[in-house]
Amino acid sequence: MRRTQAERDAITVEIGYALCSAAFAAAVVFGAAAGPALLFALPGAVEGLLLGAGAVLAPVLFLVRVVSVLMRFRPADQPSQPGRTRPDS
């Protein structure tokens, strides 16, 4: 099936939105998890735990966000004969 230019543009915009919103969400989660370790003098174990948590949570959230946005965008299938809604028509 060939896609129209408008469909290709919509897909491109949706991919861009998915990547940008995922990067923003991952940065916020990393900042929330690892921020205290970067701002305050904490014991070494706590600092390592917070940095590790941020380093694990951020990429996981990034992937989940990208997949969820792109899965929601699935375009609806078009009927093979537009205008016919009943199978016997």
Side-chain angles (χ1 to χ4, degrees):
M1 174 179 111
R2 294 192 55 110
R3 292 192 167 112
T4 66
Q5 184 64 40
E7 290 171 328
R8 289 193 304 267
D9 290 346
I11 291 169
T12 301
V13 168
E14 198 67 21
I15 291 170
Y17 169 73
L19 292 173
C20 290
S21 67
F24 179 76
V28 168
V29 166
F30 180 80
L38 299 173
L39 293 175
F40 304 112
L42 299 173
V46 174
E47 186 173 315
L49 180 67
L50 290 174
L51 288 172
V56 168
L57 289 174
V60 169
L61 177 67
F62 181 86
L63 290 174
V64 168
R65 177 68 181 161
V66 168
V67 169
S68 68
V69 169
L70 294 179
M71 291 300 287
R72 271 190 324 200
F73 180 67
R74 289 183 158 166
D77 291 334
Q78 294 291 325
S80 59
Q81 296 177 337
R84 294 187 180 195
T85 56
R86 296 184 323 190
D88 59 345
S89 60

